[in-house]
Amino acid sequence: MTAALAHARSVAATVTDPELPMLTLADLGVLRDVALEDERVVATITPTYSGCPAMASMRDDLVRVLRRSGFADVEVKVSLDPAWSSDWISARGRAALAEAGISPPGPAPRRDGPVPLTLLPVRRALTCPRCGSSEVDLTSEFGATSCKALYSCRSCREPFEHVKEI
Amino acid sequence: MNHHVNDYDADHESVYDGLLGGDASQWAFGTDFEDPLAGMDTSVPAGLDAAELADLCLRLGDDALVYSHRLAEWCSNAPDLEEDIALANIALDLLGQARLLLARAAAASPGLVPVLPEGSPVPVEDRLAFFRDDHDFRNVRFVEPENGDFAVTITRLLLFATHRLAVLERLRAHPDAVLAAIAAKGVKEVAYHRDYGGRWFVTLAQGTDESRRRLLAALETVFPLYDELLATGVADVRDEVEVVVDQVLAVAGVERPDVKPIGGARHTEALSRMLAEMQVVARAHPLGVW
Ligand SMILES: [Zn+2]
């Protein structure tokens, strides 16, 4: 790897997610690749969910930060395959989520065939990110952003968000 | 003393000045539309007919677009905040799928895209969404009717998501890599939608007398168009869908209603009314300026 490519990668790796600013795009697993084509930096990102409204922000943030570091020519590409998985959130990203009061995801389901129907509430072994209690209740599988479910803690009585496994 | 107002104007800048720190890219949601397929190879693979591929993407995309708009009508009207947020999330997932699919259709068959005046900034997927007339929409009638009450919404959502999940599971193996990728991503999302619909269906069936009464009435409302969903869907997934639907009905303790399928026109009047509202602003400003 050239010094220029290493520099571009380290700069791109500092860009944070617009909706989860405690995470970098790299820690979230959304930044898939940074390459150098002659003078041009080509960064590739993938949406967490199909309707992610933050793709334009992420693109602009990458372009801005890379330009500020001296890369005049920046292109941001989109990748859809393979589809984003919560398994791609790094260990550092999981720690940052927990630190910010958001419960990190467990392992994503691995499926080859049809997705089985689940009529009972999803059961996850997780703990309250505030007090550590495992006495938690699922409030809703849908939260303030596509990637999160809502929980409440029976011990400290606080609500919290959990990043869903996909 | 009323020149106070003038003093104020002279001494203070707009409260919005400085918010961006001189960098317009810090404005919410970026500076510009982004191409949802930016940098992807959208050439049609050898052996595939571009018009057929575009039609398939349009059908799947229009189903998602129309149904997304319907579900979004619940926003601020749902029985409680959690369901409001859940339905809005489901609508957002479907809108994202619609956007990708319409963009894919446009790339495969550019002739489909309505022509706008020179200089229009409207991206191709928005041209398809906002500048086609009702008779050019390729969605099934199943997604068109008004939401009705929560029981009708849940019943329609359960059937729609069960069918869409089966279709997307099939399309993961489609020879067009772009469509296959959109489908694989959608499977993960629609699996959550189907389980949400299924859980609420059972809850309403086994809840109070009133919730059960409404659910049984909802079946009579929703099932007449179900057959069309199965028959004109983009892949023959009837058997897979019926297995899941029967499973939910059994757990809920509900009989399948004895209703006659509705034949006839390709669209209902409900679609025209919805599009009139959805498209009016975009159509008034095809150059994106006002
Ligand atoms: Zn707690």
Side-chain angles (χ1 to χ4, degrees), chain A residues 47-48 50 60 64 78 115 143, chain B residues 23 26 31 38 89 169 185 189:
Chain A
T48 51
S50 299
D60 289 349
R64 187 184 70 253
V78 175
V115 183
Chain B
D23 183 348
Q26 287 294 282
T31 49
N89 265 285
E169 282 175 336
K185 195 160 186 57
E189 295 158 3

Side-chain angles (χ1 to χ4, degrees), chain B residues 3 38 49 53 68 117-118 122 162 176 191 204 223 248 258 284:
Chain B
H3 57 263
D49 182 80
L53 174 63
S68 167
E118 187 87 21
V122 178
T162 302
D176 177 51
L204 294 174
F223 265 80
V248 179
D258 182 21

Side-chain angles (χ1 to χ4, degrees), chain A residues 128 130-133 153-158:
Chain A
C128 170
R130 280 192 186 75
C131 73
S133 168
C153 173
R154 261 182 268 160
S155 300
C156 71
R157 306 238 160 226
E158 291 290 334

